[in-house]
């Protein structure tokens, strides 16, 4: 008869399955509450589907292959597929400084930012506190006492009563769940205290020092009828523009507080249509290819030469040489890159002192690029040496001996026999090395940080790769532009994917020739 599917052996196996599934279910229930609180119904649906699939697979005695494939598949989706999809969705938005939240968030921010104190404004006695345990980093809140002696707590979500607070001398001196800041701690966070505004129906509550606060009136008011913001002092009007996610006046000026909207392909087309972006971008693309190809080429050549030299049985002390050659590979790359950065220092660097030069390596574009490639050569050749040694040992010596009998010299044997067979084995590794160096953020950021920068564009440097340019665009001092940075990352993925696909196709053709 048909064989029955294997079952978990013994009580221990069944107990382990029950405990594991119980943990999954408990974690799912724990995660469901914040999803419900934030009305994230899509996330809740995904979670419920995952739990149902896990239960369906592991509670059944059949479907044995799925039991082994499901964990890896879930981790692949969670840590690869979902981040890629989120990045792509971000690339079609204006997400960034001034465009982080919803339209309602923008309206609240506009009104609270325009709050001024007016005659008759309600005043409060103020205590600064945090909801965390660390006074230096925890989220700030205002603990307030109004003239009637009633205690309140206020944050960016609004003003709420604070029952059970201890009030002494007109101020809150203790409250359950809050850590009060002393004068020194509050003084260290004075800028954050000044920026904090508690929205109210009349406007917002702002601090006046660290012991008093007032409820001011917003001079910029939102009118839902015209979907616009009006400055009550000047009469200036900004109307909502859903295409850009901002309030815009008749002259085209925008309020700094906007909201997140879908902008279509605007971030992608900006790369080729915006003159301030297109020129530097395509220059970075060319250098990016040159850096990746150059890094792979120089490290492969040096690693292969070292492997060929030590492949001969006549070399004495081969093991010692191999250990010495592999040492750079055993050292932390980030630490070695910092060492190389200091070695290329124009004033006290070892390179200038040993060679008797006076070169500002990081001051010029081409010298900085040469320095980066030099550091890459030292860091990367041990890997190429190791893989080349392994590939050389896999090539039968009889092939070289046969070529010698046919009259081939050493160079001809290498070019006609050894190198083609090496490339068949090493091309996939060279392609992966190219993809790694194409996005080698660490090599650039820890040595040059993308410098040197032209005077007219401090955002795109002479040694910038697309990945460092994207990082500076997303987090740099010029303003955070997550949507545009995500579009650049999509370009990066597309370029690497196309090059890898073409290279692997040629690799398969090469394998068929030499198989």
């Amino acid at each position: 008869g048909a064989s029955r599917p294997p079952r978990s052996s013994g009580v221990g196996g069944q107990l382990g399955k029950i405990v594991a599934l119980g943990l999954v279910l408990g974690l799912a229930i724990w995660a469901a509450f914040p999803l419900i609180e934030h009305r994230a119904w899509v996330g809740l649906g995904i979670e419920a589907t995952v739990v149902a699939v896990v239960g369906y697979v592991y509670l059944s005695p059949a479907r044995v292959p799925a039991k082994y494939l499901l964990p890896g598949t879930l981790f692949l989706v969670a840590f690869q597929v979902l981040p890629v999809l989120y990045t792509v969705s971000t690339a079609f938005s204006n997400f960034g400084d001034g465009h982080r939240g919803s339209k309602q968030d923008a309206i609240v921010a506009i009104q609270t930012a325009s709050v001024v104190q007016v005659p008759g404004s309600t005043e409060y006695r103020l205590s600064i506190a945090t909801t965390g345990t660390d006074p230096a980093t925890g989220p700030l809140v205002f603990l307030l006492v109004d003239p009637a002696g009633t205690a309140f707590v206020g944050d960016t979500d609004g003003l709420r009563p604070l029952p059970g607070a201890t009030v002494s001398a007109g101020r809150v001196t203790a409250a359950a769940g809050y850590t009060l800041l002393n004068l020194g701690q509050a003084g260290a966070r004075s800028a954050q205290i000044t920026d904090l505004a508690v929205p109210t129906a009349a406007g917002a509550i702002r601090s006046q020092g660290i012991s008093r606060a007032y409820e001011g009136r917003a001079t910029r008011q939102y009118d839902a009828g015209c979907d616009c913001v009006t400055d009550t002092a000047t009469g200036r009007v900004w109307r909502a523009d859903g295409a850009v996610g901002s309030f815009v006046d008749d002259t085209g000026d925008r309020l700094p507080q906007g909201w997140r909207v879908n902008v279509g392909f605007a971030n992608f087309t900006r790369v080729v249509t915006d003159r301030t972006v297109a020129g530097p971008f395509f220059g970075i693309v060319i250098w990016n290819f040159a850096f990746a190809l150059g890094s792979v080429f120089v490290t492969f050549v040096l690693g292969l030469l070292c492997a060929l030299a030590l492949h001969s049985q006549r070399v004495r002390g081969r093991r010692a040489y191999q250990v010495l050659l592999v040492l750079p590979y055993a050292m932390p790359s980030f630490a070695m890159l910092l060492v190389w950065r200091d070695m290329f220092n124009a004033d006290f660097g070892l390179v200038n002192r040993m060679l008797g030069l006076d070169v500002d390596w990081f001051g010029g574009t081409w010298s900085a690029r040469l320095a980066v490639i030099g550091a890459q050569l030292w860091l990367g050749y041990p890997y190429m040496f190791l893989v080349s040694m392994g590939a050389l040992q896999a090539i039968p010596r009889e092939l070289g001996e046969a070529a010698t009998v046919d009259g081939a010299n050493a160079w001809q044997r290498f070019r006609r026999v050894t190198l083609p067979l090496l490339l068949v084995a090493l091309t996939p590794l060279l392609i992966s090395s190219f993809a790694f160096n194409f996005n080698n953020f660490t090599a650039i950021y820890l040595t040059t940080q993308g410098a040197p920068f032209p005077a007219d564009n401090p955002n795109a440097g002479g040694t910038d790769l697309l990945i460092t340019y994207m990082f500076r665009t997303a987090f740099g001092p010029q303003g955070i532009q997550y949507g545009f940075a995500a579009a650049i990352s999509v370009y990066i993925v597309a370029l690497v994917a196309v090059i890898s696909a073409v290279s692997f196709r040629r690799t398969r053709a090469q394998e068929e020739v030499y198989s």
Side-chain angles (χ1 to χ4, degrees):
S3 60
R4 300 180 63 183
R7 305 180 66 89
S8 299
S9 59
V11 177
Q14 294 293 336
L15 184 60
K17 180 191 293 186
I18 293 172
V19 170
L21 292 176
L23 289 174
V24 171
L25 183 59
L27 181 63
I29 295 173
W30 171 80
F33 287 104
L35 292 174
I36 295 173
E37 181 181 355
H38 292 87
R39 299 181 180 274
W41 307 123
V42 174
L44 186 64
I46 293 174
E47 181 192 15
T49 302
V50 170
V51 173
V53 170
V54 170
Y56 175 73
V57 169
Y58 287 99
L59 289 176
S60 172
R63 290 174 286 278
V64 174
K67 289 180 170 64
Y68 294 96
L69 293 175
L70 185 60
T73 302
L74 292 178
F75 280 111
L76 175 66
V77 171
F79 296 106
Q80 293 290 337
V81 177
L82 290 181
V84 170
L85 293 177
Y86 181 76
T87 300
V88 173
S89 66
T90 302
F92 289 94
S93 73
N94 64 343
F95 188 28
D97 276 348
H99 301 275
R100 293 173 180 258
S102 65
K103 184 177 180 180
Q104 184 59 36
D105 294 334
I107 293 171
V108 172
I110 290 169
Q111 293 183 154
T112 55
S114 67
V115 167
V116 295
Q117 189 172 12
V118 297
S121 296
T122 304
E123 295 188 356
Y124 296 86
R125 295 296 300 272
L126 171 66
S127 299
I128 309 298
T130 175
T131 55
T133 57
D134 187 355
T137 60
L140 290 176
V141 295
F142 288 168
L143 303 184
L144 304 160
V145 178
D146 67 6
T150 305
F152 299 88
V153 57
D155 53 23
T156 54
D157 293 328
L159 189 66
R160 302 176 299 278
L162 184 61
T166 302
V167 179
S168 177
R171 298 179 62 208
V172 175
T173 56
Y178 300 96
T179 303
L180 272 70
L181 276 62
N182 58 36
L183 291 177
Q185 294 165 342
R189 305 184 67 176
S190 59
Q192 299 175 50
I193 295 171
T194 302
D195 292 339
L196 179 59
V198 179
T200 63
I205 297 174
R206 286 191 172 276
S207 64
Q208 194 172 35
I210 58 175
S211 62
R212 294 185 178 275
Y214 64 90
E215 183 178 15
R217 182 175 300 169
T219 59
R220 292 178 177 176
Q221 295 287 344
Y222 173 73
D223 185 353
C226 64
D227 198 13
C228 63
V229 173
T230 303
D231 192 314
T232 57
T234 63
R236 190 176 179 184
V237 178
W238 294 266
R239 302 185 185 279
D241 187 341
V244 297
S246 296
F247 288 97
V248 187
D249 67 5
D250 294 335
T251 64
D253 288 338
R254 305 179 185 181
L255 290 175
Q257 300 91 349
W259 61 96
R260 183 173 177 175
V261 295
N262 190 316
V263 296
F265 289 92
N267 289 322
F268 295 94
T269 57
R270 179 185 171 191
V271 172
V272 295
T273 58
D274 189 339
R275 292 184 178 181
T276 61
V277 175
F281 178 82
F282 287 109
I284 290 173
V285 170
I286 294 172
W287 158 241
N288 206 147
F289 276 101
F291 171 79
L293 291 172
S295 297
V296 174
F297 178 76
V298 297
T299 55
F300 175 65
V301 169
L302 181 57
L304 179 58
L305 290 176
C306 294
L308 289 171
L310 294 180
H311 185 59
S312 174
Q313 299 291 339
R314 293 176 294 178
V315 177
R316 295 183 178 180
R318 294 172 63 209
R319 297 299 181 190
Y321 285 123
Q322 290 173 357
V323 170
L324 292 175
L325 290 174
V326 173
L327 276 180
Y329 193 55
M331 298 180 180
S333 60
F334 72 91
M336 292 299 99
L337 286 168
L338 295 176
V339 170
W340 276 96
R341 183 188 65 184
D342 291 340
M343 289 174 63
F344 281 110
N345 185 277
D347 299 320
F348 55 81
L350 184 63
V351 175
N352 277 355
R353 296 180 65 179
M354 287 188 62
L355 301 179
L357 302 175
D358 186 20
V359 178
D360 184 5
W361 290 97
F362 297 140
T365 298
W366 288 105
S367 59
R369 291 175 174 177
L370 184 62
V372 170
I373 293 292
Q376 282 293 98
L377 174 62
W378 190 83
L379 287 169
Y381 86 87
Y383 170 74
M384 295 300 181
F385 165 71
L386 288 173
V387 297
S388 297
M389 280 290 293
L392 284 173
Q393 293 173 1
I395 297 176
R397 293 185 179 273
E398 292 80 2
L399 296 178
E401 295 172 356
T404 302
V405 172
D406 290 339
N409 56 32
W411 167 246
Q412 291 172 331
R413 289 198 305 272
F414 172 76
R415 188 167 64 91
R416 297 291 186 181
V417 178
T418 305
L419 185 59
L421 293 174
L422 276 176
L423 291 178
V424 170
L426 298 183
T427 297
L429 298 177
L430 295 178
I431 294 172
S432 64
S433 180
F434 170 85
F436 171 79
N437 283 292
F438 197 86
N439 291 315
N440 198 338
F441 175 87
T442 307
I444 300 299
Y445 196 77
L446 292 183
T447 51
T448 67
Q449 293 189 338
F453 295 95
D456 59 343
N457 191 351
N459 199 40
T463 57
D464 260 327
L465 304 180
L466 287 173
I467 189 71
T468 56
Y469 177 62
M470 181 202 71
F471 177 81
R472 192 176 299 107
T473 301
F475 305 105
Q478 304 301 317
I480 293 175
Q481 306 175 69
Y482 293 130
F484 184 53
I488 296 176
S489 69
V490 172
Y491 276 119
I492 295 173
V493 172
L495 286 172
V496 174
V498 170
I499 294 169
S500 299
V502 172
S503 300
F504 279 120
R505 179 175 295 181
R506 297 195 64 179
T507 300
R508 286 195 296 269
Q510 191 178 33
E511 290 174 351
E512 292 175 0
V513 172
Y514 290 96
S515 60

